[in-house]
Amino acid sequence: MCGIIAYIGKNEAYPILIKGLQRLEYRGYDSAGIALMNGNLNIYKKKGKVQELVDFAKDRNISGTSGIGHTRWATHGKPDDTNAHPHTSGNGRLTLVHNGIIENYALIKQALENKGHTFKSQTDTEVLVHLIEEVQKQDNLPIEEAVRVALTRVVGAYAIVVLDRLDPDKLVAARKGSPLVLGIGDDEFFLASDGTPIVEHTKKVIYLADEHIATVHRDGHYEIRTIDNELHTPFVDELYMEIERMEKGGYDYFMLKEIYEQPTTIMDAMRGRINAEEGWAHLGGMGEHVDKIKNANRFIILGCGTSWHAGLIAEYLFEDLARISVEVEYASEFRYRHPVITDKDVVIAISQSGETADTYAALELAKKNGAFLYGIVNVVGSSIARLTDAGSYIHCGPEIGVASTKAFTAQVTLLTLMALQIGRERGTISDEYFHRLLTELENIPEKVGKVLNSNEKIKYIAGEIKDSPNAMYLGRGYNFPVALEGALKLKEISYIHAEGYPAAEMKHGPIALIDENMPVIVIATNKSLNDKIVSNIQEVKARKGIVIAIVTEGDHEISRIADYTIEIPDTEEPFTPLLSVIPLQLLSYHIAVMRGCNVDQPRNLAKSVTVE
Ligand code: G6P
């Protein structure tokens, strides 16, 4: 949700800013802008993708060895050139980029207007830069001090970087609630919303903490203070990221590349955490907390979007394998209810980005009430990873396509390992079943590879249904959450209205929608419920619906009644989601491409949702 990049040093800032913005574009892509300092201050802003900005700046003065850049996902004010960041103060001295929301901006704006300030945009960000200007003017403060004092008056979330035209050899950055990483090079500094624009320049980073303000100087020194003006000695981390993972590597879209990476990413999620031959599954992150976790009164699983769907699958896994009672909650609902939480609860947060505002806030609430927090997160060093008491990274590398694919299967893999380990610890799985499951889990990456071989067939089916205005996804048991995920993938990237339902619920309403124009995608791979699924398919066929069935290899009964079938290899029932979701990812990908949609950057969406 908005990407920030900034640079100060001895090199030209422009190429660093533009490449950085392109890396961050997944966070928002409705407008982009940069400010470059080279004696003069040049600001270029453009509605649309970063490429529009590049085209606009092409013949203009782009020199300068410091600068700030921003790619926006609009919250306040429509996406246009004026509302794009950077924003400047009334006197033109300060320029600022911002990610987050200033909740009390209306009050501050009113007070500033009373003092004679006028505003060009409809953004909360412009209010913030005017506020800093006002504080700076009143007491003639250096910029870092003006930023600090101004921020004490702000309610909301922010990651900001500020440039002062009259103090051009420094940048001031601050964060609360929205992420900001400081990269330390040789006499140069980088600031960005995540490590992806920084990693090719330096591996030394500081993850700024909430209400910390960093001042970085062109001569290579830096200082971090808290909002209460206390000097802070930060921990310098090492950034681990493979640059190839951030390139498309010959694929048309990141999403397709990420779908194809899944045999590897599922393996990576398991690496060092399972050994079927020796008969163990072990998450290092549970470490000394394992007793606390296995004796939990219940698990509360929190997440949003696709991560919430992974949580729903985990409910089946933990109940089946570890016999622990589980509640899966939308973080956004949980935080605003009055949930009953005790210190005997273990809260599991699932988040690819580790920055989702609702998940973060729900965790804070749970922590306040004494629950133990466990994170299942992809982005190392992210806010959620740092807030939780313990956790495990899913290690699937940067996920850039806005629609989550490889993070989902890596999350489910990790949750499966967790359920197996806890089940074993609690003695709720028989030896024989435990070993069978371990052996089969190790086979899953190869089986995912086999499902990917059906790509051409899936593409053909996509062509047959691409013009339908609606689609329905049905599944039972472990595959009910997969139905939800399939429907989400389709609506996110192809803008086709899609609903996921437990197959048996169809007769309580959705069946009324079925006619000869309705594609119904049925995940029919549960051995335990096969007869019931066959009946559901018959019910759809009786109403002339078009049935696309995901079936287990060799299931001829369903193949005979469905219009199209896609086979997945046979596996243990708890692992079917890891295979059955793959055709659904490919199906929505091909439909979106055929409909001319921008698969990686679907309209109105952003990958990292740092606003409520
Ligand atoms: C956004 C993304 C989804 C993601 C959800 C939760 O809506 O577009 O792909 O599932 O946020 O994000 P998280 O980073 O917490 O998993």
PDB file of all heavy atoms in Angstrom, residues 304-307 350-356 359 384 399 402-404 411 489 492 605-609, ligand 1:
ATOM      1  N   CYS A 304      -5.801 -12.250   6.686  1.00  0.00           N
ATOM      2  CA  CYS A 304      -6.677 -11.554   5.741  1.00  0.00           C
ATOM      3  C   CYS A 304      -6.482 -12.197   4.371  1.00  0.00           C
ATOM      4  O   CYS A 304      -5.412 -12.732   4.083  1.00  0.00           O
ATOM      5  CB  CYS A 304      -6.293 -10.084   5.623  1.00  0.00           C
ATOM      6  SG  CYS A 304      -6.392  -9.177   7.156  1.00  0.00           S
ATOM      7  N   GLY A 305      -7.492 -12.077   3.530  1.00  0.00           N
ATOM      8  CA  GLY A 305      -7.374 -12.513   2.128  1.00  0.00           C
ATOM      9  C   GLY A 305      -6.937 -13.959   2.019  1.00  0.00           C
ATOM     10  O   GLY A 305      -7.440 -14.860   2.701  1.00  0.00           O
ATOM     11  N   THR A 306      -5.968 -14.176   1.156  1.00  0.00           N
ATOM     12  CA  THR A 306      -5.479 -15.530   0.907  1.00  0.00           C
ATOM     13  C   THR A 306      -4.900 -16.154   2.173  1.00  0.00           C
ATOM     14  O   THR A 306      -5.029 -17.363   2.404  1.00  0.00           O
ATOM     15  CB  THR A 306      -4.432 -15.472  -0.225  1.00  0.00           C
ATOM     16  OG1 THR A 306      -5.123 -15.166  -1.434  1.00  0.00           O
ATOM     17  CG2 THR A 306      -3.684 -16.767  -0.387  1.00  0.00           C
ATOM     18  N   SER A 307      -4.274 -15.344   3.003  1.00  0.00           N
ATOM     19  CA  SER A 307      -3.685 -15.888   4.244  1.00  0.00           C
ATOM     20  C   SER A 307      -4.782 -16.429   5.164  1.00  0.00           C
ATOM     21  O   SER A 307      -4.579 -17.406   5.886  1.00  0.00           O
ATOM     22  CB  SER A 307      -2.880 -14.804   4.966  1.00  0.00           C
ATOM     23  OG  SER A 307      -1.789 -14.431   4.180  1.00  0.00           O
ATOM     24  N   ILE A 350      -1.108 -15.359  10.251  1.00  0.00           N
ATOM     25  CA  ILE A 350      -0.589 -15.759   8.935  1.00  0.00           C
ATOM     26  C   ILE A 350      -0.541 -14.514   8.062  1.00  0.00           C
ATOM     27  O   ILE A 350      -1.561 -13.835   7.878  1.00  0.00           O
ATOM     28  CB  ILE A 350      -1.488 -16.832   8.286  1.00  0.00           C
ATOM     29  CG1 ILE A 350      -1.718 -17.992   9.266  1.00  0.00           C
ATOM     30  CG2 ILE A 350      -0.868 -17.330   6.990  1.00  0.00           C
ATOM     31  CD1 ILE A 350      -2.687 -19.044   8.748  1.00  0.00           C
ATOM     32  N   SER A 351       0.626 -14.199   7.541  1.00  0.00           N
ATOM     33  CA  SER A 351       0.739 -13.013   6.689  1.00  0.00           C
ATOM     34  C   SER A 351       1.943 -13.146   5.771  1.00  0.00           C
ATOM     35  O   SER A 351       3.055 -13.391   6.233  1.00  0.00           O
ATOM     36  CB  SER A 351       0.888 -11.760   7.559  1.00  0.00           C
ATOM     37  OG  SER A 351       1.074 -10.626   6.746  1.00  0.00           O
ATOM     38  N   GLN A 352       1.696 -13.012   4.484  1.00  0.00           N
ATOM     39  CA  GLN A 352       2.811 -13.030   3.535  1.00  0.00           C
ATOM     40  C   GLN A 352       3.714 -11.837   3.799  1.00  0.00           C
ATOM     41  O   GLN A 352       4.911 -11.982   4.022  1.00  0.00           O
ATOM     42  CB  GLN A 352       2.257 -12.994   2.102  1.00  0.00           C
ATOM     43  CG  GLN A 352       3.264 -13.165   0.988  1.00  0.00           C
ATOM     44  CD  GLN A 352       4.128 -11.948   0.715  1.00  0.00           C
ATOM     45  OE1 GLN A 352       5.367 -12.039   0.694  1.00  0.00           O
ATOM     46  NE2 GLN A 352       3.548 -10.796   0.545  1.00  0.00           N
ATOM     47  N   SER A 353       3.133 -10.645   3.774  1.00  0.00           N
ATOM     48  CA  SER A 353       3.933  -9.415   3.859  1.00  0.00           C
ATOM     49  C   SER A 353       4.444  -9.152   5.269  1.00  0.00           C
ATOM     50  O   SER A 353       5.465  -8.504   5.458  1.00  0.00           O
ATOM     51  CB  SER A 353       3.081  -8.227   3.433  1.00  0.00           C
ATOM     52  OG  SER A 353       1.990  -8.062   4.332  1.00  0.00           O
ATOM     53  N   GLY A 354       3.698  -9.621   6.262  1.00  0.00           N
ATOM     54  CA  GLY A 354       4.030  -9.279   7.643  1.00  0.00           C
ATOM     55  C   GLY A 354       3.711  -7.839   7.980  1.00  0.00           C
ATOM     56  O   GLY A 354       4.141  -7.328   9.014  1.00  0.00           O
ATOM     57  N   GLU A 355       2.947  -7.172   7.121  1.00  0.00           N
ATOM     58  CA  GLU A 355       2.665  -5.754   7.340  1.00  0.00           C
ATOM     59  C   GLU A 355       1.172  -5.428   7.343  1.00  0.00           C
ATOM     60  O   GLU A 355       0.817  -4.268   7.495  1.00  0.00           O
ATOM     61  CB  GLU A 355       3.331  -4.891   6.248  1.00  0.00           C
ATOM     62  CG  GLU A 355       4.837  -5.022   6.157  1.00  0.00           C
ATOM     63  CD  GLU A 355       5.571  -4.489   7.386  1.00  0.00           C
ATOM     64  OE1 GLU A 355       4.951  -3.803   8.217  1.00  0.00           O
ATOM     65  OE2 GLU A 355       6.782  -4.783   7.515  1.00  0.00           O
ATOM     66  N   THR A 356       0.318  -6.407   7.129  1.00  0.00           N
ATOM     67  CA  THR A 356      -1.106  -6.110   6.992  1.00  0.00           C
ATOM     68  C   THR A 356      -1.641  -5.448   8.270  1.00  0.00           C
ATOM     69  O   THR A 356      -1.548  -6.016   9.369  1.00  0.00           O
ATOM     70  CB  THR A 356      -1.872  -7.409   6.659  1.00  0.00           C
ATOM     71  OG1 THR A 356      -1.302  -7.915   5.456  1.00  0.00           O
ATOM     72  CG2 THR A 356      -3.351  -7.162   6.455  1.00  0.00           C
ATOM     73  N   THR A 359      -4.171  -7.314  10.569  1.00  0.00           N
ATOM     74  CA  THR A 359      -3.585  -8.464  11.264  1.00  0.00           C
ATOM     75  C   THR A 359      -2.699  -7.972  12.401  1.00  0.00           C
ATOM     76  O   THR A 359      -2.728  -8.503  13.518  1.00  0.00           O
ATOM     77  CB  THR A 359      -2.784  -9.336  10.267  1.00  0.00           C
ATOM     78  OG1 THR A 359      -3.608  -9.595   9.136  1.00  0.00           O
ATOM     79  CG2 THR A 359      -2.340 -10.642  10.889  1.00  0.00           C
ATOM     80  N   ILE A 384       4.997  -7.831  11.646  1.00  0.00           N
ATOM     81  CA  ILE A 384       4.312  -8.933  12.340  1.00  0.00           C
ATOM     82  C   ILE A 384       5.340  -9.943  12.855  1.00  0.00           C
ATOM     83  O   ILE A 384       5.225 -10.454  13.973  1.00  0.00           O
ATOM     84  CB  ILE A 384       3.252  -9.585  11.425  1.00  0.00           C
ATOM     85  CG1 ILE A 384       2.106  -8.583  11.218  1.00  0.00           C
ATOM     86  CG2 ILE A 384       2.747 -10.913  11.987  1.00  0.00           C
ATOM     87  CD1 ILE A 384       1.058  -8.978  10.215  1.00  0.00           C
ATOM     88  N   GLU A 399       7.292 -12.394  -3.162  1.00  0.00           N
ATOM     89  CA  GLU A 399       6.118 -12.661  -4.007  1.00  0.00           C
ATOM     90  C   GLU A 399       5.669 -11.314  -4.553  1.00  0.00           C
ATOM     91  O   GLU A 399       5.306 -10.418  -3.796  1.00  0.00           O
ATOM     92  CB  GLU A 399       5.009 -13.327  -3.190  1.00  0.00           C
ATOM     93  CG  GLU A 399       3.871 -13.816  -4.080  1.00  0.00           C
ATOM     94  CD  GLU A 399       2.733 -14.431  -3.281  1.00  0.00           C
ATOM     95  OE1 GLU A 399       2.106 -13.705  -2.475  1.00  0.00           O
ATOM     96  OE2 GLU A 399       2.472 -15.622  -3.447  1.00  0.00           O
ATOM     97  N   VAL A 402       0.395  -9.537  -7.398  1.00  0.00           N
ATOM     98  CA  VAL A 402      -0.498  -9.119  -6.302  1.00  0.00           C
ATOM     99  C   VAL A 402      -1.345 -10.293  -5.815  1.00  0.00           C
ATOM    100  O   VAL A 402      -1.593 -10.438  -4.624  1.00  0.00           O
ATOM    101  CB  VAL A 402      -1.344  -7.902  -6.749  1.00  0.00           C
ATOM    102  CG1 VAL A 402      -2.525  -7.698  -5.819  1.00  0.00           C
ATOM    103  CG2 VAL A 402      -0.465  -6.653  -6.749  1.00  0.00           C
ATOM    104  N   ALA A 403      -1.779 -11.136  -6.745  1.00  0.00           N
ATOM    105  CA  ALA A 403      -2.561 -12.310  -6.330  1.00  0.00           C
ATOM    106  C   ALA A 403      -1.597 -13.358  -5.763  1.00  0.00           C
ATOM    107  O   ALA A 403      -0.676 -13.808  -6.443  1.00  0.00           O
ATOM    108  CB  ALA A 403      -3.314 -12.876  -7.526  1.00  0.00           C
ATOM    109  N   SER A 404      -1.812 -13.722  -4.525  1.00  0.00           N
ATOM    110  CA  SER A 404      -0.880 -14.620  -3.837  1.00  0.00           C
ATOM    111  C   SER A 404      -1.021 -16.057  -4.342  1.00  0.00           C
ATOM    112  O   SER A 404      -2.130 -16.575  -4.487  1.00  0.00           O
ATOM    113  CB  SER A 404      -1.195 -14.564  -2.338  1.00  0.00           C
ATOM    114  OG  SER A 404      -0.278 -15.341  -1.635  1.00  0.00           O
ATOM    115  N   GLN A 411       2.550 -21.325   3.036  1.00  0.00           N
ATOM    116  CA  GLN A 411       1.880 -21.184   4.350  1.00  0.00           C
ATOM    117  C   GLN A 411       1.222 -22.506   4.744  1.00  0.00           C
ATOM    118  O   GLN A 411       1.363 -22.972   5.884  1.00  0.00           O
ATOM    119  CB  GLN A 411       0.788 -20.104   4.269  1.00  0.00           C
ATOM    120  CG  GLN A 411       1.309 -18.684   4.182  1.00  0.00           C
ATOM    121  CD  GLN A 411       0.243 -17.683   3.715  1.00  0.00           C
ATOM    122  OE1 GLN A 411      -0.811 -18.060   3.196  1.00  0.00           O
ATOM    123  NE2 GLN A 411       0.510 -16.400   3.885  1.00  0.00           N
ATOM    124  N   LYS A 489      -9.050 -15.843  -6.428  1.00  0.00           N
ATOM    125  CA  LYS A 489      -8.060 -15.650  -7.498  1.00  0.00           C
ATOM    126  C   LYS A 489      -8.754 -15.142  -8.753  1.00  0.00           C
ATOM    127  O   LYS A 489      -8.278 -14.223  -9.404  1.00  0.00           O
ATOM    128  CB  LYS A 489      -7.344 -16.970  -7.853  1.00  0.00           C
ATOM    129  CG  LYS A 489      -6.318 -17.494  -6.894  1.00  0.00           C
ATOM    130  CD  LYS A 489      -5.031 -16.723  -6.825  1.00  0.00           C
ATOM    131  CE  LYS A 489      -5.090 -15.580  -5.892  1.00  0.00           C
ATOM    132  NZ  LYS A 489      -4.889 -15.733  -4.484  1.00  0.00           N
ATOM    133  N   GLU A 492     -10.067 -11.466  -8.312  1.00  0.00           N
ATOM    134  CA  GLU A 492      -8.965 -10.504  -8.174  1.00  0.00           C
ATOM    135  C   GLU A 492      -8.368 -10.112  -9.518  1.00  0.00           C
ATOM    136  O   GLU A 492      -8.104  -8.944  -9.761  1.00  0.00           O
ATOM    137  CB  GLU A 492      -7.807 -11.146  -7.382  1.00  0.00           C
ATOM    138  CG  GLU A 492      -7.893 -11.060  -5.898  1.00  0.00           C
ATOM    139  CD  GLU A 492      -6.681 -11.713  -5.241  1.00  0.00           C
ATOM    140  OE1 GLU A 492      -6.330 -12.868  -5.564  1.00  0.00           O
ATOM    141  OE2 GLU A 492      -6.077 -11.062  -4.401  1.00  0.00           O
ATOM    142  N   LEU A 605      -6.261  -3.013  -6.397  1.00  0.00           N
ATOM    143  CA  LEU A 605      -5.665  -3.856  -5.350  1.00  0.00           C
ATOM    144  C   LEU A 605      -4.235  -3.434  -5.057  1.00  0.00           C
ATOM    145  O   LEU A 605      -3.614  -2.726  -5.830  1.00  0.00           O
ATOM    146  CB  LEU A 605      -5.664  -5.322  -5.790  1.00  0.00           C
ATOM    147  CG  LEU A 605      -7.018  -5.969  -5.974  1.00  0.00           C
ATOM    148  CD1 LEU A 605      -6.852  -7.410  -6.434  1.00  0.00           C
ATOM    149  CD2 LEU A 605      -7.821  -5.932  -4.691  1.00  0.00           C
ATOM    150  N   ALA A 606      -3.747  -3.877  -3.937  1.00  0.00           N
ATOM    151  CA  ALA A 606      -2.328  -3.719  -3.611  1.00  0.00           C
ATOM    152  C   ALA A 606      -1.917  -4.946  -2.833  1.00  0.00           C
ATOM    153  O   ALA A 606      -2.752  -5.614  -2.222  1.00  0.00           O
ATOM    154  CB  ALA A 606      -2.109  -2.478  -2.769  1.00  0.00           C
ATOM    155  N   LYS A 607      -0.638  -5.242  -2.878  1.00  0.00           N
ATOM    156  CA  LYS A 607      -0.199  -6.489  -2.263  1.00  0.00           C
ATOM    157  C   LYS A 607      -0.071  -6.374  -0.745  1.00  0.00           C
ATOM    158  O   LYS A 607      -0.324  -7.319  -0.019  1.00  0.00           O
ATOM    159  CB  LYS A 607       1.150  -6.891  -2.855  1.00  0.00           C
ATOM    160  CG  LYS A 607       1.585  -8.220  -2.364  1.00  0.00           C
ATOM    161  CD  LYS A 607       2.251  -9.024  -3.409  1.00  0.00           C
ATOM    162  CE  LYS A 607       2.419 -10.446  -2.966  1.00  0.00           C
ATOM    163  NZ  LYS A 607       1.190 -11.240  -3.111  1.00  0.00           N
ATOM    164  N   SER A 608       0.364  -5.205  -0.301  1.00  0.00           N
ATOM    165  CA  SER A 608       0.629  -5.080   1.119  1.00  0.00           C
ATOM    166  C   SER A 608      -0.325  -4.019   1.656  1.00  0.00           C
ATOM    167  O   SER A 608      -0.191  -2.846   1.333  1.00  0.00           O
ATOM    168  CB  SER A 608       2.089  -4.666   1.269  1.00  0.00           C
ATOM    169  OG  SER A 608       2.386  -4.459   2.605  1.00  0.00           O
ATOM    170  N   VAL A 609      -1.309  -4.457   2.435  1.00  0.00           N
ATOM    171  CA  VAL A 609      -2.395  -3.551   2.799  1.00  0.00           C
ATOM    172  C   VAL A 609      -2.126  -2.965   4.180  1.00  0.00           C
ATOM    173  O   VAL A 609      -2.516  -3.518   5.202  1.00  0.00           O
ATOM    174  CB  VAL A 609      -3.755  -4.279   2.721  1.00  0.00           C
ATOM    175  CG1 VAL A 609      -4.891  -3.331   3.049  1.00  0.00           C
ATOM    176  CG2 VAL A 609      -3.958  -4.826   1.324  1.00  0.00           C
TER     177      VAL A 609
HETATM  178  C1  G6P B   1      -3.900  -8.268   0.093  1.00  0.00           C
HETATM  179  C2  G6P B   1      -3.258  -9.097  -0.989  1.00  0.00           C
HETATM  180  C3  G6P B   1      -3.603 -10.566  -0.791  1.00  0.00           C
HETATM  181  C4  G6P B   1      -3.215 -11.029   0.595  1.00  0.00           C
HETATM  182  C5  G6P B   1      -3.824 -10.134   1.681  1.00  0.00           C
HETATM  183  C6  G6P B   1      -3.221 -10.422   3.036  1.00  0.00           C
HETATM  184  O1  G6P B   1      -5.276  -8.261  -0.061  1.00  0.00           O
HETATM  185  O2  G6P B   1      -3.677  -8.656  -2.265  1.00  0.00           O
HETATM  186  O3  G6P B   1      -2.920 -11.349  -1.758  1.00  0.00           O
HETATM  187  O4  G6P B   1      -3.638 -12.338   0.784  1.00  0.00           O
HETATM  188  O5  G6P B   1      -3.550  -8.760   1.396  1.00  0.00           O
HETATM  189  O6  G6P B   1      -1.868 -10.075   3.011  1.00  0.00           O
HETATM  190  P1  G6P B   1      -0.757 -10.704   3.911  1.00  0.00           P
HETATM  191  O7  G6P B   1       0.514 -10.025   3.456  1.00  0.00           O
HETATM  192  O8  G6P B   1      -1.095 -10.360   5.333  1.00  0.00           O
HETATM  193  O9  G6P B   1      -0.725 -12.157   3.681  1.00  0.00           O
END
